[in-house]
Amino acid sequence: MLQYLNRCPFTVSVAIMRFTPGCPDGGDWTKEGWWNIPPNGSKIPYGGDLDDVNAWWCDFIMGGGQVWPGSGFIRALTLREFSWCEWTASTDSFDADMFLFNVDDNEDQIFEIVP
């Protein structure tokens, strides 16, 4: 399970990217968004066993006029709800610097989002 807890005094929005070999539109990853999390709220963007998918995952978090730091994995996202393969984009896409993280052999990962 991948869960986000919002500890900010404003709503944050989360997009994720997970390993999906042979994604039909190209690439080996699926990117999805958005999970809008109110202050002191939580959301579970992925409810399965994380390490069964892959040890590596990505996310993109924004809210309150800020964007959380990425790690150089630039992918096209859109502000509307989406579920796209890694290299899919649209005319309303923007380049997002996604954060790459490793879940090792953990089934679950919980992130607290702080300002």
Side-chain angles (χ1 to χ4, degrees), residues 4-83:
Y4 292 86
L5 309 172
N6 181 9
R7 301 298 184 227
C8 301
F10 46 81
T11 297
V12 297
S13 299
V14 175
I16 65 168
M17 191 164 71
R18 60 186 166 83
F19 190 62
T20 51
C23 194
D25 293 337
D28 288 324
W29 295 77
T30 297
K31 52 192 179 179
E32 301 170 303
W34 294 94
W35 287 267
N36 298 311
I37 311 169
N40 296 312
S42 70
K43 296 283 182 173
I44 299 173
Y46 186 83
D49 184 336
L50 298 181
D51 69 335
D52 281 354
V53 174
N54 193 6
W56 294 98
W57 289 70
C58 291
D59 65 18
F60 180 81
I61 303 170
M62 64 182 182
Q66 65 186 69
V67 174
W68 275 251
S71 52
F73 286 84
I74 309 300
R75 298 297 183 268
L77 304 181
T78 181
L79 293 176
R80 56 190 160 82
E81 187 176 322
F82 68 97
S83 179

Side-chain angles (χ1 to χ4, degrees), residues 54-58 99-106 109 111:
N54 193 6
W56 294 98
W57 289 70
C58 291
F99 178 73
L100 177 70
F101 59 93
N102 189 316
V103 299
D104 294 318
D105 61 352
N106 294 307
Q109 183 77 52
F111 287 110

